[in-house]
Structures are given as structure tokens and as C-alpha cells.
Amino acid sequence: MLEKLEQIKGKIAKGFEEIKNLEALENLRIEIMGKKGELTALFSSLKALGEEEKKAFAKELNSVRSEFESKLDSLKAKLSQEELGRKLRKEYLDTSLFTALKPKSLGHPVNQVMERIIEYFTCINFSIQSGPLVEDDFHNFEALNLPKFHPARDMQDTFYFKDIALLRTHTSPVQIRTMQESSIPIRIIAPGAVFRRDYDLTHSPMFHQVEGLVVDQAGKVSFANLKYILEDFLRAMFGDVKVRFRSSFFPFTEPSAEVDISCVFCGGVGCRVCSHTGWLEVLGCGVVDENVFKAVGYENVSGYAFGLGVERFAMLIHRVNDLRSFFETDLRVLEQF
Ligand code: PHE
């Protein structure tokens, strides 16, 4: 037995010298101290010894065991540390390294164009207003000089809820809300979603408009001011285009005009997109009708207003010929912007 113990001691010493990793260490532990380990076997054989012998040998065995265990623990700690170091070196990430630049999304094309429009007007001191998407008849129609049952309501097919609630058909109700809530001078734009019963190549049931409204004392705001701003605005958006004002009708403006730019596709020569006229209609505008001021209780004021469709602008700027492709969330389309 003593011989056996010497053998084990030798094995332990050699093992500790040679072992380079945790797995080998665990194998050594099992070989010596596991259920069927060599040292464990010696402990079992104690039974066979006489009292005196047993005492002496047990003492010896215990000291070998505790020395083995403490060495095992310290070597285990050392090897774990080394292994962790190796792992960290292998998985090291150099966060200062440059990677190939991933294309960064600039947002939805309609939003991009909306942002450009907003930027133009905020730069010339317009502030931004908003109103509810679910409107009432008064703000969407009545106050804008569109009495109930007036045929002009036909211009805008509408989604109605019960009673007087409807999805707003344009951003013009924000004109009314702004005038009701504040006093002159007023200089605002109102960007936002609007809804109409329409669906084809150039119309969708939901689209976006930007409304503009300027109101000040009587005589201070004129059609000439409107014309100056819109011409400058349209050139900022579309580049070097011709701009023309064409007499038109809106119930809430008088006089009213629709504004055309020379066709961005053919340069004004005439093509399919502009129906061979050389012109593209881009917005509606006019001098605010007296009846609108009456509806909000304003007196001795003058003002102009305009309204434009953001999707239409985006189609012309990006040469997209089907409006619906903006709303189909096809990444192959959206990634091009
Ligand atoms: N609200 C009109 C429309 O949606 C546009 C417009 C706004 C016209 C303001 C004139 C003045 O068609």
C-alpha cells in the first residue's frame, strides 16, 4: 500500500508538471480522486488494516489528499485565467476600425420632400401648425365658404362618419383653426395627411398636403406677395422652371389660381406626362375670401392661402409615374431614394 501511495504521489507530481489545460486537469482529478480513483481506492482499503496501522496510514492519505486538492484548486484558477485570456484575445473587436459604409436610409421619399418643403417655409419665417385628421363639417367645409348641399363640395369626395365627423379632405381646415385660436399677423404652413375617395395612377385615398396661410391688416397682404413667394418656392423645389398662374376656382379664395410649372420631363416642349401642353399643375392658391374671414370673426384683414400635394411633388422630383409605388412598402423601390 505504501508503494502504491508513492506511485500515486509520483503520478500527481508528474501530472501537475505536464498539464496544460482544464480538461487534462479534470482527467487527473478523476484518475486520482474520482469514485474509482486510485487514491479513493486506497481510502477504501483502510478497512482491512489494524487499528494502529490504519491511523498512521489514514493520516498519510489525508495529507496527500489535501495537498492534491489545494494544488488542484490553484492550478485550476491559473488555467481558467489563461483560457479566458486566450478567448478574449481571439474574440477581440477593434472598435476603432472602419468598416465598409452601409447605405443609410434617408427616410421615405414622400417624407424627404415634405421635409424640404417645410425647410423652405420655416427659413422664411413661417411657423408650423397642425389640426385633427378627423374633422367636423364646419372646419372642413362650412367655414371655408362651402355651405351644406353646395355643388362645390363635389370637388372633394369624402369619407364620412356618423353625423358631422369626416376624414379631412384637405389641410385647409387648419386655416380656420389657426384663425380661431390666434390673432394677426398669421404666417403658417400646415403639413399633414388628407383623405379622399380616389384611387388610380395619380390618386390615393390618403395623401399629404402642405397648406399655407398669411393674414395681416387690410391692404398688407396681396396677390403679388403670394406670387412672389410661390415662384421662388417652386424654383427652389424644381430648379430652373417657368411658373405660370392660371385663373381657377376655389370656394375659399377669390381670386383663385392654379399654378403650373414648365414640364420637368420635356422641358416644356410637350410630352405624354404633360398631355403635350408643356405645363404641369402643381398647386392651388388665392386671396382669402371675405366669407372665410367672416366665419372666424375677422374684420379689416387681408390674406392669401395656398395648398399643394406632397406626393405630386415627390413624383415630379423623383420622376415616379405611379403614385401607388410610394405606398406599397417595396424595399426595392424605397431603397432607390
Ligand atoms: N384646399 C385646396 C385643395 O385641396 C387647395 C387650396 C388651398 C387652394 C388653399 C387654395 C388655397 O384642393
Side-chain angles (χ1 to χ4, degrees), residues 4 8 27-44:
K4 182 69 188 160
I8 295 174
N27 287 341
L28 181 68
R29 188 192 66 79
I30 293 169
E31 205 178 316
I32 306 296
M33 290 277 300
K35 262 193 194 147
K36 292 180 184 149
E38 293 178 30
L39 199 60
T40 317
L42 282 188
F43 272 103
S44 312

Side-chain angles (χ1 to χ4, degrees), residues 67 87 102 235:
E67 199 183 324
K87 210 171 154 196
K102 286 224 177 90
R235 296 218 174 88

Side-chain angles (χ1 to χ4, degrees), residues 156 170 172 175 196 209 211 250 252-253 284-285 305-307:
Q156 298 176 0
H170 50 182
S172 301
Q175 288 189 32
R196 292 188 198 171
Q209 285 189 332
E211 189 84 9
F250 297 103
F252 30 90
T253 47
C285 64
F306 58 87

Side-chain angles (χ1 to χ4, degrees), residues 34-97:
K35 262 193 194 147
K36 292 180 184 149
E38 293 178 30
L39 199 60
T40 317
L42 282 188
F43 272 103
S44 312
S45 58
L46 280 175
K47 292 193 285 285
L49 298 177
E51 206 54 35
E52 277 306 300
E53 239 184 332
K54 192 196 250 178
K55 235 182 181 173
F57 197 54
K59 203 174 159 200
E60 182 72 20
L61 282 183
N62 277 327
S63 95
V64 172
R65 178 169 69 180
S66 67
E67 199 183 324
F68 177 66
E69 279 175 346
S70 81
K71 262 201 174 153
L72 199 72
D73 284 345
S74 65
L75 192 57
K76 197 170 173 178
K78 189 174 150 233
L79 288 174
S80 311
Q81 200 59 36
E82 281 175 11
E83 213 145 285
L84 183 66
R86 265 198 301 279
K87 210 171 154 196
L88 286 179
R89 269 193 298 282
K90 207 167 112 198
E91 294 173 6
Y92 170 69
L93 285 182
D94 185 350
T95 49
S96 69
L97 272 183

Side-chain angles (χ1 to χ4, degrees), residues 68-287:
F68 177 66
E69 279 175 346
S70 81
K71 262 201 174 153
L72 199 72
D73 284 345
S74 65
L75 192 57
K76 197 170 173 178
K78 189 174 150 233
L79 288 174
S80 311
Q81 200 59 36
E82 281 175 11
E83 213 145 285
L84 183 66
R86 265 198 301 279
K87 210 171 154 196
L88 286 179
R89 269 193 298 282
K90 207 167 112 198
E91 294 173 6
Y92 170 69
L93 285 182
D94 185 350
T95 49
S96 69
L97 272 183
F98 285 104
T99 57
L101 286 177
K102 286 224 177 90
K104 186 170 163 255
S105 166
L106 294 172
H108 193 281
V110 173
N111 258 345
Q112 285 177 42
V113 171
M114 180 83 105
E115 290 297 328
R116 271 183 63 189
I117 297 171
I118 291 173
E119 192 181 335
Y120 175 88
F121 284 105
T122 48
C123 281
I124 54 168
N125 260 341
F126 279 71
S127 57
I128 300 173
Q129 285 290 336
S130 59
L133 304 186
V134 178
E135 261 298 358
D136 55 52
D137 192 88
F138 176 77
H139 291 92
N140 196 83
F141 290 128
E142 292 258 14
L144 289 161
N145 199 26
L146 272 147
K148 285 204 174 59
F149 309 113
H150 195 284
R153 285 200 180 193
D154 239 20
M155 288 166 74
Q156 298 176 0
D157 267 345
T158 315
F159 292 108
Y160 282 96
F161 297 98
K162 270 197 199 128
D163 307 323
I164 52 164
L166 51 93
L167 288 177
R168 70 178 184 189
T169 57
H170 50 182
T171 41
S172 301
V174 185
Q175 288 189 32
I176 305 301
R177 290 184 179 274
T178 306
M179 288 191 277
Q180 284 175 325
E181 281 157 21
S182 43
S183 48
I184 57 167
I186 288 171
R187 192 175 168 86
I188 59 121
I189 52 167
V194 301
F195 307 85
R196 292 188 198 171
R197 267 196 65 213
D198 269 332
Y199 192 55
D200 61 34
L201 273 184
T202 53
H203 296 90
S204 70
M206 188 279 303
F207 62 105
H208 297 83
Q209 285 189 332
V210 175
E211 189 84 9
L213 176 71
V214 173
V215 186
D216 208 334
Q217 290 160 8
K220 270 205 167 179
V221 183
S222 71
F223 197 91
N225 301 147
L226 170 68
K227 194 159 180 269
Y228 176 85
I229 281 208
L230 289 183
E231 276 179 7
D232 187 63
F233 164 62
L234 291 172
R235 296 218 174 88
M237 299 302 290
F238 295 104
D240 191 18
V241 288
K242 279 188 242 153
V243 178
R244 80 172 181 191
F245 285 68
R246 190 166 30 79
S247 160
S248 183
F249 171 78
F250 297 103
F252 30 90
T253 47
E254 180 58 34
S256 303
E258 279 173 318
V259 184
D260 300 337
I261 56 171
S262 50
C263 180
V264 292
F265 293 91
C266 63
V269 193
C271 67
R272 234 171 39 128
V273 183
C274 59
S275 308
H276 304 281
T277 60
W279 296 98
L280 297 165
E281 183 200 319
V282 288
L283 54 80
C285 64
V287 169

